Amino acid sequence: MAWIGFIIAVLAQYIGLYTLEEPFYVKGYYAIAGAFLIVACLVLQKTVRDNEEDKVHLSPEEE
């Protein structure tokens, strides 16, 4: 369900950019900024998940 919401949000963003009545360089700026935000969110969630997994797998003497 989370992936479906993610895909819908990305599609809505880029459909909105496609229909935006601005010069191409403005659309490009927004597209690159949106792509950067998507990548940053994916990296952040992976980092948080990995840190939580590390806490679970550490033995008490390693803390």
Side-chain angles (χ1 to χ4, degrees), residues 6-49:
F6 175 75
I7 290 169
I8 290 171
V10 171
L11 284 175
Q13 175 182 353
Y14 286 105
I15 289 170
L17 281 175
Y18 181 75
T19 60
L20 185 66
E21 295 182 9
E22 290 291 332
F24 186 70
Y25 69 89
V26 173
K27 290 181 180 183
Y29 176 81
Y30 287 139
I32 294 297
F36 181 74
L37 285 172
I38 291 167
V39 170
C41 289
L42 293 174
V43 169
L44 177 62
Q45 70 87 23
K46 183 183 180 324
T47 303
V48 169
R49 185 192 65 211

